[in-house]
């Protein structure tokens, strides 16, 4: 047995304190007796039991001494030696693969230097027949090949590491150094003498003594970068905000901005491109973030001019734009013309300057504010709360149509026909048939007569019955709370329809989502139902939008390694750009592991829909001379030596046993 923490034996001093307490405490007892006879009898009994009392007292003090000794032993962490000590040298190399490790030249990046440093260390360790492990600390740390490699694996390790460099395997985000340090604990458990090396370009205020930090930066490296860029509407016109900074030197920077597809006041339907340039170089000093503003508004709250950390340039009136397709931003140094050491942040793109428009037609011979209000609520929701669509609602009272005019069946994304139906079904949008008086050609239904469910006992009509269909169109809707007193019975309907709710045993709400055929049929009259008084009406239209006309993606700007949800209005969505992918089931998930511009392409109703997003590297990686506080010390998480078996459980058993014996002796002494 050995002690992992011998200093814990200092607690044995408590035994001396216990003995001192026994020495200085009074050894007499004050008792009151009622008669001399009782006193004499007690004295005789006391003399007879004296040997037993002395033995009990000796056992009591012995238990207390052993109890304190057990406490001290527990603090000293006793253990049994169960294995032999590893005498060969062992080392772990952690390679930082954050995006800033790409700084340098094409043939000599920081990541390449880190790999070469790890290979040199491996050669030294293997010369002494030692053990070697390489961990690449990226978004998620990974062990290269295997842990604790032996000298015969050097060739494979060299090939793998050099392959990482040639394959450009350095990440585009930040690195989880703490997770990499935690992975070292598995090695430390087996060999506490293992050496840990961290190859990185980050400086730390505190470096644990157990880890040697190897700095792979080189003098002369510098970076000028675009940290962030955004476009904001001000007074109806877009202004552009760009944050830039320079690290490693002070520099004057040229900032170029080009707006593609700009909708200006004089562009009409012919869109133009606007090129914006700074009037003079932007000076970046002392690693301070500078904000450059190309401003369209004229409010006094943001006057035109310069301050210490902001440069403002007014966009000419003729060049102001209220919508755009794409804004491309680039940066370079004015004076020397030399490229910086880190190119990932020299360009950026902004999308989202023109939200897609959804055209909605509400046609009825008795238009009501309930349906129209629900559609306008959706328009406001997608404009403000979830700004992904511009919803344009057109209300058509069919009684105002001329004799030669027909109900529109083309040019809209969503058709809501109430009471009166068109002759043929639209083929370019989602169709809602509400209380149909006839069956449009291609609808797949045959309409019968209207049915009244009003009785003297039930003037509001019965409630619907949920058909049990698990369809997102019925999310948040409680069919058993919706009453109906007038509906149109369907003689027949296409089997591709899915019945969601029934009334009087007949379909009340059903839907079809098959290819480009997206139809919702509601057979009841809204004026003879309480659905307009409930939130179910709003939920119904919300579900129609989210199920049949979903936004492809929420947002246009993302960071590397961000995971986003994709939806599609059609059956297939194609992602092209730094990552190529095709999705057929939705919603789909994609991790944006590479920066750059992505194009999302889909087809619905014969129309090709193209959208763009931009993925940027984290702004913190632009600072190629960053400093952080500290990282996790792996020795703190696991301190037990490799060849020991912990005996603390057995010490605890002795501790509890002595405590019980001491209590029993105290009880006997007081009885």
């Amino acid at each position: 047995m050995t002690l992992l923490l011998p200093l814990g034996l200092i607690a044995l001093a408590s035994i001396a304190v216990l003995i001192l307490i026994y020495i200085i405490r009074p050894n007499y007892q004050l008792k009151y007796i009622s008669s001399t006879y009782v006193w004499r009898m007690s004295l005789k009994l006391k003399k007879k039991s004296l040997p037993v009392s002395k033995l009990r007292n000796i056992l009591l003090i012995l238990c207390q001494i052993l109890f304190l000794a057990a406490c001290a032993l527990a603090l000293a962490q006793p253990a049994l030696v169960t294995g032999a000590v590893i005498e060969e040298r062992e080392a772990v190399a952690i390679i930082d693969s954050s995006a800033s490790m790409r700084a340098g030249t094409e043939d000599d990046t920081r990541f390449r230097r880190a790999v070469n440093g790890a290979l040199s260390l491996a050669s030294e360790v293997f010369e002494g027949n030692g053990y070697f492990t390489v961990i690449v600390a990226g978004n998620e740390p990974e062990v290269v090949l295997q842990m604790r490699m032996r000298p015969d694996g050097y060739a494979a390790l060299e090939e793998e590491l050099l392959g990482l460099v040639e394959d450009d395997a350095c990440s585009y985000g930040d690195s989880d150094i703490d997770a990499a340090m935690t992975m070292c604990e598995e090695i430390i458990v087996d060999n506490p003498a293992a050496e840990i090396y961290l190859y990185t370009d980050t400086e730390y205020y505190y470096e644990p003594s157990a880890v040697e930090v190897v700095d792979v930066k080189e003098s002369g490296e510098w970076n000028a970068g675009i940290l962030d860029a955004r476009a904001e509407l001000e007074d109806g016109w877009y202004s552009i905000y760009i944050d830039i900074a320079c690290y490693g030197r002070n520099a004057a920077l040229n900032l170029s901005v080009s707006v593609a597809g700009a909708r200006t006041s004089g562009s009409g339907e012919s869109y133009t491109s606007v090129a914006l340039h700074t009037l003079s170089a932007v000076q970046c000093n002392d690693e301070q973030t500078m904000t450059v503003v190309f401003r369209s508004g004229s409010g006094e709250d943001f006057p035109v001019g310069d301050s210490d950390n902001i440069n403002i340039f007014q966009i000419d009136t003729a060049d102001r734009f209220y919508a755009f397709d794409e804004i491309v931003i680039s940066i370079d140094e004015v004076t020397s013309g030399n490229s910086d050491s880190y190119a990932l942040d020299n360009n950026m793109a902004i999308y989202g300057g023109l939200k897609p428009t959804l055209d909605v037609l509400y046609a009825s011979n008795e238009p009501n504010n309930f349906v129209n209000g629900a559609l306008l609520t959706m328009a406001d929701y997608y404009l403000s709360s979830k700004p992904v669509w511009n919803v344009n609602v057109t209300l058509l009272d069919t009684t105002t149509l001329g004799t030669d005019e027909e109900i529109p069946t083309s040019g809209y994304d969503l058709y809501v026909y109430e009471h009166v139906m068109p002759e043929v079904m639209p083929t370019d949008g989602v169709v809602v048939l509400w209380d149909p008086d006839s069956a449009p050609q291609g609808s797949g239904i045959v309409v019968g007569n209207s049915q009244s469910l009003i009785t003297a006992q039930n003037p509001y009509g019965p409630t619907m019955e949920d058909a049990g269909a698990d369809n997102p169109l019925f999310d948040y809707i409680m069919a058993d709370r919706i009453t109906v007193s007038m509906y149109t019975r369907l003689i027949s309907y296409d089997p591709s329809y899915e019945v969601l709710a029934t009334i009087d045993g007949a379909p009340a709400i059903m839907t079809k989502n098959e290819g480009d055929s997206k139809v919702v049929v509601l057979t009841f009259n809204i004026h003879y139902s309480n659905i307009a008084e409930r939130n179910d009406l709003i939920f119904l239209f919300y579900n129609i939008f989210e199920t049949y006309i979903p936004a492809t993606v929420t947002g246009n700007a993302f960071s590397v390694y961000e995971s986003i949800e994709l939806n599609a209005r059609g059956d297939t969505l194609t992602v092209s750009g730094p990552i190529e992918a095709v999705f057929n089931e939705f919603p789909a998930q994609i991790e944006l592991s590479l920066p750059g511009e992505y194009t999302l392409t889909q087809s619905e109703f014969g129309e090709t829909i193209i959208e763009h997003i931009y993925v940027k590297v984290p702004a913190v990686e632009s600072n190629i001379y960053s400093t952080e506080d500290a990282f996790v010390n792996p020795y703190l998480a696991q301190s037990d030596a490799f060849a020991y078996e912990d005996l603390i459980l057995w010490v605890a058993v002795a501790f509890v046993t002595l405590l019980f014996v001491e209590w029993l002796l105290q009880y006997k002494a007081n009885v």
Side-chain angles (χ1 to χ4, degrees):
M1 187 185 78
T2 186
L3 301 177
L4 300 181
L5 192 61
L7 288 177
L9 295 180
I10 295 177
L12 290 175
S14 60
I15 297 177
V17 176
L18 176 66
I19 295 173
L20 182 62
I21 291 174
Y22 271 94
I23 292 175
I24 65 174
R25 74 171 185 174
N27 58 1
Y28 64 89
Q29 294 181 352
L30 181 62
K31 293 185 178 181
Y32 296 94
I33 56 177
S34 59
S35 67
T36 303
Y37 176 79
V38 173
W39 167 249
R40 290 175 180 171
M41 293 299 296
S42 299
L43 185 58
K44 290 179 180 179
L45 292 174
K46 185 174 181 61
K47 289 179 180 180
K48 290 180 181 181
S49 62
L50 183 59
V52 177
S53 299
K54 285 185 177 181
L55 179 60
R56 185 187 299 118
N57 291 338
I58 292 173
L59 291 175
L60 184 60
I61 190 172
L62 181 61
C63 283
Q64 292 172 346
I65 291 174
L66 292 175
F67 177 81
L68 294 176
C71 291
L73 187 62
L75 293 175
Q77 297 185 16
L80 284 177
V81 178
T82 59
V85 176
I86 298 177
E87 297 180 353
E88 295 85 356
R89 182 183 179 189
E90 181 165 4
V92 181
I94 299 175
I95 300 176
D96 183 357
S97 71
S98 57
S100 63
M101 292 287 284
R102 293 176 172 272
T105 63
E106 184 175 349
D107 298 327
D108 184 30
T109 63
R110 295 176 176 180
F111 185 70
R112 182 185 291 271
R113 294 173 211 150
V115 167
N116 291 337
L119 285 174
S120 178
L121 177 62
S123 179
E124 294 178 12
V125 173
F126 287 152
E127 283 180 2
N129 195 34
Y131 298 85
F132 193 72
T133 303
V134 178
I135 299 174
V136 176
N139 184 50
E140 294 182 358
E142 295 182 358
V143 175
V144 178
L145 293 181
Q146 66 182 54
M147 282 190 172
R148 311 192 71 196
M149 296 186 65
R150 300 296 287 163
D152 57 1
Y154 179 78
L157 178 63
E158 182 181 33
E159 181 181 359
E160 186 72 17
L161 287 178
L162 293 179
L164 293 178
V165 176
E166 296 302 323
D167 296 340
D168 196 26
C170 185
S171 76
Y172 290 91
D174 55 359
S175 293
D176 195 343
I177 300 296
D178 289 346
M181 289 294 171
T182 302
M183 291 182 70
C184 296
E185 296 171 7
E186 184 176 339
I187 296 173
I188 295 170
V189 168
D190 291 333
N191 185 4
E195 306 165 15
I196 300 177
Y197 295 83
L198 172 61
Y199 294 86
T200 182
D201 60 354
T202 302
E203 295 184 8
Y204 294 92
Y205 290 114
Y206 170 73
E207 298 176 3
S209 59
V211 180
E212 182 173 337
V213 178
V214 181
D215 190 352
V216 296
K217 296 192 297 291
E218 285 190 357
S219 62
E221 293 176 337
W222 70 286
N223 178 47
I226 303 170
L227 306 183
D228 193 19
R230 58 201 180 277
E232 297 182 4
L233 277 173
E234 295 178 356
D235 299 331
W237 305 98
Y238 272 104
S239 294
I240 306 171
Y241 293 79
I242 306 168
D243 297 330
I244 61 176
C246 196
Y247 304 95
R249 71 164 66 167
N250 297 333
L253 305 177
N254 250 342
L255 187 64
S256 299
V257 181
S258 177
V259 184
R263 277 68 164 173
T264 62
S265 56
S267 63
E269 295 298 324
S270 177
Y271 307 136
T272 184
S273 294
V274 177
L276 306 173
H277 299 275
T278 56
L279 302 179
S280 59
V282 180
Q283 185 67 36
C284 290
N285 298 326
D286 303 324
E287 301 184 355
Q288 294 294 316
T289 300
M290 299 292 297
T291 300
V292 180
V293 183
F294 292 92
R295 190 164 182 270
S296 297
S298 57
E300 296 181 356
D301 58 329
F302 205 168
V304 175
D306 298 339
S307 63
D308 292 340
N309 293 317
I310 185 168
N311 291 353
I312 306 174
F313 300 92
Q314 189 72 32
I315 299 177
D316 293 338
T317 302
D319 291 334
R320 294 188 302 179
F321 54 96
Y322 59 86
F324 63 88
D325 292 329
E326 178 187 37
I327 299 176
V328 179
I329 306 165
S330 61
I331 195 173
D332 60 68
E333 189 186 17
V334 174
T335 54
S336 67
N338 296 329
S339 59
D340 58 11
S341 305
Y342 180 76
L344 292 177
D345 55 5
N346 292 343
N347 301 281
M348 191 171 291
I350 303 175
Y351 296 104
L354 185 66
K355 290 189 289 291
T357 297
L358 287 181
D359 292 312
V360 179
L361 173 67
Y362 171 37
S364 175
N365 60 354
E366 296 180 55
N368 64 81
N369 291 332
F370 301 115
V371 174
N372 192 49
L375 292 171
L376 293 177
T377 299
M378 290 297 99
D380 181 69
Y381 172 74
Y382 287 113
L383 180 65
S384 54
S385 299
K386 186 181 180 181
V388 293
W389 302 116
N390 281 322
V391 180
N392 182 26
V393 180
T394 299
L395 173 61
L396 174 63
D397 186 344
T398 58
T399 60
T400 63
L401 294 176
T403 55
D404 297 332
E405 294 181 286
E406 296 182 355
I407 301 175
T409 57
S410 64
Y412 293 89
D413 299 287
L414 173 63
Y415 300 85
V416 181
Y417 300 115
E418 185 186 27
H419 308 312
V420 61
M421 301 289 115
E423 292 186 5
V424 297
M425 289 285 286
T427 58
D428 60 349
V430 181
V431 181
V432 177
L433 306 178
W434 200 315
D435 187 29
D437 63 348
S438 62
Q441 181 181 342
S443 63
I445 63 173
V446 178
V447 176
N449 297 323
S450 296
Q451 307 288 321
S452 176
L453 301 175
I454 299 177
T455 63
Q457 294 79 17
N458 194 358
Y460 299 104
T463 59
M464 292 184 186
E465 294 182 7
D466 195 324
D470 185 15
N471 193 295
L473 197 67
F474 243 40
D475 288 348
Y476 318 114
I477 293 178
M478 293 180 287
D480 57 354
R481 304 279 181 91
I482 302 173
T483 60
V484 174
S485 58
M486 178 74 72
Y487 78 103
T488 299
R489 181 175 288 275
L490 299 181
I491 297 176
S492 65
Y493 54 88
D494 193 282
S496 59
Y497 277 99
E498 180 182 10
V499 178
L500 305 181
T502 61
I503 188 74
D504 195 31
I509 302 176
M510 61 183 191
T511 183
K512 178 170 64 172
N513 184 8
E514 196 174 72
D516 284 342
S517 182
K518 304 178 189 298
V519 185
V520 179
V521 179
L522 300 97
T523 62
F524 57 93
N525 190 323
I526 191 173
H527 300 289
Y528 292 86
S529 171
N530 69 342
I531 190 172
E533 303 170 8
R534 300 176 50 78
N535 291 330
D536 299 275
L537 182 61
I538 297 294
F539 288 142
L540 176 64
F541 279 106
Y542 173 80
N543 293 337
I544 289 174
F545 275 91
E546 291 293 305
T547 304
Y548 298 140
I549 323 175
T552 307
V553 62
T554 302
N556 304 97
F558 303 94
S559 294
V560 170
Y561 295 120
E562 190 171 348
S563 182
I564 63 173
E565 183 177 277
L566 298 176
N567 282 287
R569 297 167 64 178
D571 296 327
T572 302
L573 176 67
T574 302
V575 178
S576 57
I579 297 177
E580 306 285 339
V582 177
F583 297 98
N584 299 305
E585 295 183 2
F586 305 96
Q589 293 284 334
I590 183 171
E591 185 182 76
L592 305 170
S593 57
L594 298 174
E597 303 174 16
Y598 289 74
T599 301
L600 313 178
T601 306
Q602 59 183 307
S603 178
E604 184 190 38
F605 303 118
E607 177 187 358
T608 300
I609 304 170
I610 299 177
E611 299 170 78
H612 300 277
I613 62 174
Y614 187 80
V615 179
K616 69 183 188 70
V617 295
V620 68
E621 296 298 323
S622 294
N623 184 359
I624 62 174
Y625 287 94
S626 63
T627 302
E628 297 184 9
D629 293 334
F631 52 81
V632 169
N633 182 352
Y635 283 91
L636 296 178
Q638 188 70 264
S639 61
D640 292 343
F642 73 101
Y644 300 128
E645 179 182 346
D646 197 349
L647 297 179
I648 190 68
L649 177 62
W650 299 105
V651 175
V653 171
F655 180 95
V656 174
T657 303
L658 289 170
L659 187 65
F660 175 76
V661 172
E662 193 270 346
W663 172 81
L664 185 61
L665 291 172
Q666 289 280 13
Y667 175 77
K668 291 290 185 180
N670 294 325
V671 172

